[in-house]
Amino acid sequence: DEEYLGKVLDAARAEATKRAAAAQPKLEAERKERMSRLLAHEQLMYDRQERALNLYEQWQEEWARFRSAMARMTGKSEEQLVVSRGEGFRRRLEEYNYINEATPHHEKHGSEYWMMSLRGMGTRYVAVGNIFSGLFCPVREESNLEMETIRVPPHQRLASSSLLAARRETEQKEVSGQVNGASCKSSLHQ
């Protein structure tokens, strides 16, 4: 049953890739026509997102090579490497911060809520250990925290059937064709 679903998924992926590759020349022609009407600084602004995505994909490929090399050197799977688990740590930290911000102050601080609500206050001291230890830990409450989400999408390797990989292969073929004296045109760049 899973084998059948895998075949169906592969067939759908192949069909989508074929349709996307067929539509690419038309989209590229429309893009070139739009770009010809823009000023130089507008063209740079227009291409900024594409350049950023290309750079991001290059770094993802670089990190994938690094993870696979480190996995081979250490004899561990890629999921067991510390660099692969960093995203999970960030996600847990974000969830903790969201929960902390969503918890009402009177539930977080209990009977010390009145002290935390005073102007200029925002720090209470909690005893650590027994009452004779003399150790206290400051608990601060900052009311003007801004939540920031820093997340990297799950690591995905570029499939050889992706449009970016196909574009790079055709560009490499064009360069090698020009070096050998042969002229070859890419169906992606017409």
Side-chain angles (χ1 to χ4, degrees):
D1 199 30
E2 289 181 25
E3 185 178 324
Y4 173 74
L5 290 176
K7 289 180 181 179
V8 170
L9 183 63
D10 289 341
R13 189 177 297 131
E15 180 63 28
T17 303
K18 186 171 37 171
R19 278 188 274 142
Q24 190 67 28
K26 180 181 175 186
L27 293 174
E28 190 66 30
E30 290 173 0
R31 181 183 170 283
K32 284 183 181 179
E33 195 270 324
R34 272 194 313 268
M35 292 291 284
S36 67
R37 288 186 267 140
L38 297 176
L39 298 173
H41 73 281
E42 292 172 331
Q43 290 177 359
L44 289 173
M45 292 296 291
Y46 189 80
D47 282 341
R48 176 181 284 174
Q49 182 70 23
E50 185 176 346
R51 288 191 313 268
L53 288 173
N54 286 339
L55 186 62
Y56 171 77
E57 288 177 354
Q58 288 173 0
W59 276 108
Q60 289 301 315
E61 290 173 355
E62 178 70 27
W63 275 105
R65 283 193 297 273
F66 174 77
R67 281 193 309 274
S68 63
M70 287 297 112
R72 280 193 308 271
M73 288 175 65
T74 59
K76 296 181 179 181
S77 69
E78 289 185 22
E79 293 80 27
Q80 292 176 331
L81 296 174
V82 173
V83 295
S84 299
R85 293 187 308 208
E87 177 61 25
F89 172 75
R90 264 188 236 104
R91 187 176 297 119
R92 282 193 305 275
L93 187 61
E94 287 173 10
E95 288 174 5
Y96 173 76
N97 288 336
Y98 285 133
I99 291 170
N100 191 31
E101 285 296 311
T103 307
H105 293 297
H106 67 277
E107 287 183 16
K108 268 196 272 190
H109 304 296
S111 64
E112 301 292 325
Y113 170 65
W114 68 271
M115 186 187 306
M116 299 298 284
S117 66
L118 295 175
R119 186 179 348 171
M121 293 304 282
T123 303
R124 69 183 173 105
Y125 294 92
V126 178
V128 177
N130 62 28
I131 60 173
F132 302 112
S133 70
L135 297 176
F136 292 90
C137 177
V139 176
R140 292 180 178 83
E141 183 65 42
E142 297 178 17
S143 59
N144 58 355
L145 288 177
E146 290 186 21
M147 299 303 293
E148 182 180 8
T149 301
I150 302 172
R151 182 143 320 142
V152 177
H155 303 295
Q156 297 176 354
R157 296 175 195 257
L158 281 178
S160 60
S161 62
S162 73
L163 291 176
L164 179 66
R167 184 186 305 164
R168 286 187 179 155
E169 288 175 13
T170 54
E171 288 173 356
Q172 290 174 351
K173 288 179 184 177
E174 286 179 2
V175 169
S176 65
Q178 291 170 358
V179 170
N180 294 334
S183 65
C184 65
K185 296 237 178 195
S186 167
S187 63
L188 294 177
H189 298 297
Q190 289 181 353

